[in-house]
Structures are given as C-alpha cells and as structure tokens.
Amino acid sequence: MRVIFMGTPDFSVPVLDALVEAGHEIAAVYCQPPRPAGRGKKDRPTPVHARAEALGLEVRHPVSLKSPDEQARFAALDADVAVVVAYGLILPQAILDAPAKGCLNIHASLLPRWRGAAPIHRAILSGDAQTGICIMQMEAGLDTGPVLLREATEIGPEETTGALHDRLSAMGAALIVQALSQLDSLTPEVQPEEGVTYAQKIDKAEAAVDWTRPAEEISRQIRGLAPFPGAWTLLGEHRIKLLGARVVDGQGAPGTALDDGFTIACGTGAVQVTRAQRAGKGAQDAETFLRGMAIPQGATLGAG
C-alpha cells in the first residue's frame, strides 16, 4: 500500500520500521517540527524525523494542517491510507478524508478506556490489570472512531510506564501490519458509550510522594511516572526520583525506612524501591544507588 506515516516520539519509530519492512510504500513522513533541546538549545529533530531521514524518506513537519495549501499538499500524495501514532496534531476533516481508505490510528489502550494523551501512564496509575493496542479508524472526535483490531496484554505487578511503553510500541507495530494486510475484510467495531475514560496529560504536581497513602497506590505512582516525570521524595535536602517499586510486607510511621534496603513504610503496608536517581546522576538500581547514598533504617523520607 501507499502509506502516509504520521508520528513523532520514540513510541512511533518501531511502527515506521515495521511498515517499511512489510514492503509498504511510504509516500511521506509527517512529524512535529524540530525543537530546541540539550544544553545548547539547538533545534533537535524528533525521533521519527531522524529515523525517517536515515531510511531516506521524505519528511514533512508543518506547524499546522489547517491551511488549504497544506491540505492540498497532503492530498496530492495520493495515499491509500495514513497511519497515525502519537503524532501530536489534531487532524482536520480534510486530512482524515484525503487517503482512499482514511486514517488509521494506533492507540495504546483498550478503547473506550483511556482515550486521550497519556493512556499508558493512566493505566498503571489506576491499577488496571490489562491494557493493550487498538487500531482505530479515525474520525473527528478524540479517539472515538470504530476499532478495527485490538490486542490485550497483562500489566506486570512491577512494570513501569517505560517498560510497558516499549512493549506496546512493538505490539502496535505488529498489529498495524496485520490490519493493513486484512484491511478490506475487517469489520469496524463501534466503541460503546459505557466505560469511556480520559487519560489526561501527566502534571508534574502528581509526582510528589505522599507516604501516608496505601502502599499499593504509592507503588502505582512510582511505576506509573517512571521514567518521566518521575515520582520524587526528599531525604533531608536531597531530592530523590523513585523509578521502580514493589509492594512488600511491613509497617511503621509513613515515610520511615524499615531496613537498610530501601523499604519504606506507607500509610498501610510498605514499598521497596527498586530503582532511583539522585540529582545530577543517572538512574540506578537500588543496590547501586544505596552505595552512593545510604538510607539507613529509621531515616525519614518526605516531600517537604
């Protein structure tokens, strides 16, 4: 098929690779424009931009798709279908209608649960047992279109957003290749009205750990916000990012270290932190972290 690919972050890169490997003709790649990044604040291409250039594909990064000229350029590509995954712009109706078979979105949740911007984070933060990938025929509403294919997966008890992100990206890549190979025979499944939830963007204000909450909630917070923005706590004046955790037996005053191995008492139960990061350092497993910053039994953690 002749495909327009529309995506921007790391999550989208395996999908682009899978489409190329499956033999589809990539008419053009659309992504967000380069933006200032790093210490020098120089414009840096997005991950999809960089990968597309490495593959020798045409890259377009318009600031908007609302202008008639931009819509005409898109339509002139004469594509069979557009594949959209974490692109970052709203698609006007003229864009949705341009490809012969419309626009297909790869969404990282089991729709209608977790429509919106942060479905992977929200699934872990909410304690969902399952999530998955949906291939959706796009329409004007926010993730409201009929679902063509879906695949579910269990969320592991210690899985972080980062780990689940990578698994779902690979699942999405495989599922879109399957969907395109069967496109004319797939039956669209209209999303039910019941069970709709919205995955709001993650706010950094959600990242401070309140140790008076139950251990299960704190574990989900730590895992759901890892690696970004990273749940955090304070040890004295030192701010520590918590990037992995498991629920363990234990009780004590909330925020108190119950041993020398990063087990922290919560409002009910306890969590053992398995990965952490201090300011100016890289993320480390707990054992390595504690060699550089001991958290002895009886120490108290808090968010200030």
Side-chain angles (χ1 to χ4, degrees):
M1 280 193 187
R2 184 168 168 83
V3 178
I4 297 171
F5 182 78
M6 309 180 81
T8 294
D10 288 320
F11 186 86
S12 310
V13 173
V15 180
L16 176 59
D17 284 340
L19 292 172
V20 172
E21 289 167 12
H24 294 289
E25 178 190 0
I26 308 300
V29 172
Y30 279 73
C31 58
Q32 289 287 294
R35 291 195 168 90
R39 291 183 179 179
K41 295 299 181 185
K42 294 182 179 179
D43 280 353
R44 179 181 297 173
T46 67
V48 163
H49 186 155
R51 182 60 182 149
E53 286 194 336
L55 292 169
L57 301 173
E58 179 187 351
V59 179
R60 300 180 179 182
H61 42 74
V63 175
S64 169
L65 293 168
K66 294 179 180 179
S67 76
D69 286 349
E70 199 61 62
Q71 292 171 7
R73 288 189 74 218
F74 185 92
L77 290 168
D78 195 26
D80 296 310
V81 69
V83 171
V84 185
V85 52
Y87 174 44
L89 284 182
I90 299 294
L91 303 190
Q93 194 64 48
I95 296 292
L96 295 174
D97 293 340
K101 298 179 185 296
C103 298
L104 303 185
N105 178 244
I106 303 171
H107 188 75
S109 80
L110 297 176
L111 294 166
R113 185 161 178 80
W114 301 131
R115 295 174 178 173
I120 303 175
H121 296 81
R122 295 298 174 195
I124 292 180
L125 287 167
S126 297
D128 291 4
Q130 276 191 333
T131 186
I133 290 289
C134 284
I135 307 299
M136 180 190 69
Q137 187 82 49
M138 295 182 71
E139 58 183 33
L142 177 64
D143 299 329
T144 58
V147 174
L148 300 178
L149 276 180
R150 64 174 65 224
E151 182 178 348
T153 185
E154 302 295 314
I155 299 175
E158 297 182 27
E159 196 158 25
T160 64
T161 285
L164 184 56
H165 166 284
D166 293 348
R167 284 208 299 122
L168 291 175
S169 177
M171 284 175 59
L175 205 60
I176 190 63
V177 170
Q178 179 184 340
L180 292 181
S181 71
Q182 304 171 350
L183 193 54
D184 292 334
S185 62
L186 293 175
T187 302
E189 170 197 316
V190 176
Q191 291 186 42
E193 294 296 323
E194 293 183 6
V196 174
T197 58
Y198 290 93
Q200 302 294 336
K201 286 184 179 180
I202 298 298
D203 190 319
K204 289 184 179 180
E206 298 177 67
V209 174
D210 175 1
W211 294 105
T212 66
R213 292 166 60 202
E216 182 58 51
E217 290 184 13
I218 292 175
S219 171
R220 297 199 308 251
Q221 178 188 16
I222 291 170
R223 294 182 294 109
L225 299 182
F228 181 83
W232 62 272
T233 191
L234 294 176
L235 176 63
E237 296 180 353
H238 297 284
R239 182 160 165 156
I240 303 170
K241 271 190 181 181
L242 309 176
L243 300 171
R246 63 171 68 99
V247 176
V248 295
D249 292 332
Q251 57 183 1
T256 302
L258 299 179
D259 56 23
D260 296 338
F262 226 150
T263 301
I264 312 298
C266 305
T268 55
V271 296
Q272 184 176 40
V273 177
T274 59
R275 192 165 180 81
Q277 182 178 7
R278 58 191 292 193
K281 304 287 185 180
Q284 299 172 311
D285 63 78
E287 184 178 351
T288 304
F289 179 91
L290 292 171
R291 286 202 291 267
M293 176 182 273
I295 302 178
Q297 183 174 354
T300 301
L301 301 177

